[in-house]
């Protein structure tokens, strides 16, 4: 397949042309023994234990953006969702829905990103499916990834695990992905290094869990941002969460764009950040471990879990007051991921 | 959510409205302890052994058709792909991509179909994701399902397992799904009972495997039809496959529509049929087991595996000649599944 070719309906028909695309384009990039068997699914051995299973569809617009593309996002997103269950992600499935007429060059870039992201995360893409739909029936390309992973013995993290006295850690600056997509889509060209934070978080999670320090909640604040995710946790755990505005890590240019356009960084998506809620006595030790990870250098403690106002998130503002941080109401930005 | 409401971008934003849709619409239909936890993924115990993992995206047009709809198709399709690996499907993930403006009534119908199909197959929908994209960016609704299942000890089925002397069984009439979609889409109103064959095949597979009769290949001939799937097997197994036209089960009305419109039933999709390739000595016993299943009543032996012309499928025609059945070249019908 040449870079200048375009994707035809035939590429999704399951016949000769589909097979040629699989053999020439997909298999060489994702090469591994399991995918190569070309059966209806992949078969592999698993040990006895607990498994995590997660899925996400990606419809981000634009499909290429500073710091990543839809392919990288799709792999990292599912790697992270599996990791947030406390599991070590192992195998990923990929479902491509492509618009007729897409340039092979663009598809190849996306697939290369997926292969690179899988390598970086240490997961294998073992099964997949490609559909091509007529022009205008989908916007360029949508990607679903599902993933499975194994939980270490003794690990129990869940959104309902937060307890009063716990500290809330965020692994780095917030709103980078959301602001990047927003800027690209609106054609805003800021003279800044704003880019998506898309990154795999499974190695960071592994290091934290292997340290033996107890972890109550792990969550990645994607769609809906930090504000919405913390609200979910407050409700699931029936606790209050108190945040300190002066500790929220937001890059200068990101803050500037948010102020200019009237967006609140608390509600903008992150694609390479996690929230860890851990007992107060161990919080600094967990923070140190997170900071040692390539994607956790800017981690900070941003708040604490309380027994006041269960189900509610409160922000202590810079000027000393407090305001309620509600769950996102309304759509800040469609097709953010 | 009222039936007359429409789906808004907010329903996919991850905030309050998304949560309300999950709690009011999705959770009651798919109710099970795992989904209700609302974490980033589902966590469950697995025994040591071999697992199958498969994924498929569904873009069928129209989304409702005689014999089923996109929701039922999406569950059965992945149940069947996992079953074709020789595994017993257990858990299913669902990724919905919905066009803004869809009627809640239509979405509910689709979700109800999914819940019904899951129940019938005996699988649990344990994790999911909902995206809503602006009008015109996707056509109504696309659904991805992924599934995992466990392989019984000793079962080894794969597309590369066919051996000369094996018989080829098909579990019922072919081309029903393809002809149904074709007729609906073209607005053809035939006075006939043509309808999709969408069905779960995992119970049939279980009965065959538990009988202890050796099975070399299991495949469901969906996109590309029987002709393409048999070509894949002939290539993977490096064998020839000989079919007998007088044994191919095609319903009268389906044959009529194919003749009228110039379609070959060998290349039209099936959504509730399997091909079983088994040693000749056991073929009649396996056929009997398949025929006892609700969806296998019309099963027949349609051909045999040979050592001639490896990689090729040959059809012995009604008039006594032979013709090569090639893999599907070109798109017979886009968005068939």
């Amino acid at each position: 397949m040449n870079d200048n070719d375009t994707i035809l309906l035939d590429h999704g028909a399951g016949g000769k042309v589909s097979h040629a695309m699989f053999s020439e384009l997909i298999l060489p990039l994702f090469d591994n023994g399991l995918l190569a068997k070309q059966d209806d699914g992949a078969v592999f051995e698993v040990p006895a234990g607990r498994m995590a299973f997660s899925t996400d569809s990606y419809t981000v617009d634009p499909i290429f953006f500073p710091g990543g593309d839809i392919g990288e996002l799709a792999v990292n997103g599912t790697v992270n969702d599996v990791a947030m269950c406390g599991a070590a992600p192992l195998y990923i499935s990929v479902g491509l829905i492509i618009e007729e007429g897409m340039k092979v060059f663009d598809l190849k870039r996306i697939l290369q990103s997926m292969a690179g992201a899988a390598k970086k995360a240490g997961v294998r893409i073992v099964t997949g499916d490609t559909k091509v739909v007529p022009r205008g029936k989908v916007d360029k390309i949508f990607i679903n990834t599902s993933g499975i992973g194994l939980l270490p013995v003794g690990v129990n993290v869940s959104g309902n695990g937060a307890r009063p006295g716990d500290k809330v850690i965020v692994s780095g600056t917030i709103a980078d992905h959301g602001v990047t997509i927003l800027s690209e889509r609106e054609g805003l060209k800021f003279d800044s290094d704003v880019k998506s934070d898309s990154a795999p978080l499974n190695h960071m999670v592994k290091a934290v869990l292997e340290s033996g320090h107890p972890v109550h909640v792990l969550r990645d604040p994607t769609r809906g941002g930090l504000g919405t995710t913390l609200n979910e946790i407050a409700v699931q755990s029936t606790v209050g969460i108190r945040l300190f505005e002066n500790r929220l890590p937001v890059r200068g240019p990101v803050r500037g764009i948010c102020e200019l356009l009237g967006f609140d960084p608390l509600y903008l998506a992150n694609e390479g950040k996690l929230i860890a809620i851990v007992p107060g006595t161990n919080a600094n030790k967990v923070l140190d471990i997170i900071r040692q990870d390539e994607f956790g250098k800017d981690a900070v403690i941003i708040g604490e879990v309380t027994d006041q106002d269960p189900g509610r998130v409160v922000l202590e503002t810079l000027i000393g007051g407090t305001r309620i941080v509600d769950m996102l109401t309304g759509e800040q930005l469609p097709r953010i991921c």
Side-chain angles (χ1 to χ4, degrees), chain A:
Chain A
M1 296 178 77
N2 292 314
D3 284 358
N4 291 327
D5 290 347
T6 55
I7 297 296
L8 310 172
L9 289 172
D10 283 0
H11 285 108
K16 266 194 177 167
V17 180
S18 297
H19 281 80
M21 180 164 82
F22 180 80
S23 306
E24 293 173 27
L25 189 60
I26 295 177
L27 192 59
L29 280 170
F30 296 160
D31 197 15
N32 63 64
L34 292 171
L35 191 65
K37 285 197 80 180
Q38 299 191 45
D39 281 325
D40 283 332
V43 173
F44 41 80
E45 297 272 345
V46 290
R50 286 173 306 153
M51 172 169 276
F53 181 25
S54 189
T55 193
D56 240 330
S57 297
Y58 295 83
T59 64
V60 66
D61 173 39
I63 55 175
F64 300 104
F65 45 81
D69 61 40
I70 190 171
E72 183 185 338
L73 204 63
V75 172
N76 285 338
T78 286
V79 162
N80 293 346
D81 279 343
V82 172
M84 294 309 128
C85 297
L90 290 172
Y91 299 115
I92 303 284
S93 68
V94 174
L96 304 172
I97 304 177
I98 307 171
E99 185 180 17
E100 177 191 17
M102 182 176 222
K103 288 269 174 238
V104 167
F105 177 77
D106 287 337
L107 178 59
K108 201 188 274 186
R109 268 181 75 187
I110 291 166
L111 295 172
Q112 283 166 340
S113 287
M114 298 189 85
K119 192 173 177 193
K120 194 154 191 173
V123 297
R124 289 161 78 184
I125 293 171
V126 292
T127 189
D129 171 57
T130 302
K131 294 287 189 304
V132 181
V133 298
R135 271 173 221 272
K137 299 301 182 186
V138 71
D139 187 23
K140 296 185 276 295
I141 185 170
F142 291 171
I143 302 179
N144 176 282
T145 50
S146 301
I148 57 179
L150 295 169
L151 273 86
V153 174
V155 168
N156 278 300
V157 296
S158 173
N160 64 17
R163 296 288 170 268
D166 287 354
K167 298 290 184 189
V168 180
I169 299 171
V170 67
S171 65
T173 56
I174 62 170
D176 297 86
H177 180 75
V179 159
T180 304
I181 298 301
L182 182 69
S183 306
E184 285 293 301
R185 200 136 83 210
E186 303 302 322
L188 303 173
K189 294 293 169 198
F190 295 100
D191 187 16
S192 69
D193 60 347
V194 172
K195 59 177 188 172
S196 171
D197 59 342
S198 177
L201 299 172
N202 55 322
H203 303 305
M204 183 191 297
V205 168
K206 183 166 184 269
V208 169
L209 295 176
E210 283 184 351
S211 75
H213 294 297
V215 178
H216 289 162
V217 183
L218 290 172
R219 249 328 144 73
D220 56 338
T222 55
R223 249 187 318 180
L226 192 68
T228 299
T229 305
L230 288 175
N231 266 280
E232 290 171 357
I233 296 168
V235 170
Q236 283 179 263
S237 299
T238 328
V239 295
I241 293 177
R242 191 171 188 89
L243 299 179
F244 304 103
E245 189 170 19
N246 63 355
R247 299 211 199 146
L248 289 179
V250 187
R251 282 187 216 283
V254 169
R255 189 181 296 280
I257 295 171
C258 283
E259 282 174 5
L260 193 67
L261 299 174
F263 282 88
D264 185 340
L266 276 173
Y267 295 110
L268 288 175
N270 310 280
E271 293 291 341
K273 299 292 151 45
L274 61 75
I275 297 165
I277 299 187
V278 302
T281 45
N282 295 92
N284 281 315
K285 284 171 188 159
V286 173
L287 184 66
D288 285 344
I289 295 165
I290 291 176
R291 282 181 174 165
Q292 282 165 39
D293 186 88
E294 176 182 359
F295 304 110
K297 293 185 172 59
D298 300 322
V300 281
I301 294 172
I302 56 168
E304 58 198 20
V305 178
T306 72
D307 56 6
Q308 287 163 35
D309 296 320
R312 192 157 270 187
V313 180
V314 170
L315 182 74
E316 199 165 285
T317 64
L318 292 175
I319 54 169
T322 59
R323 72 170 170 96
I324 289 169
V325 177
D326 204 352
M327 193 173 276
L328 174 66
T329 51
E331 172 72 85
Q332 272 224 332
L333 198 60
R335 300 181 64 192
I336 196 79
C337 60

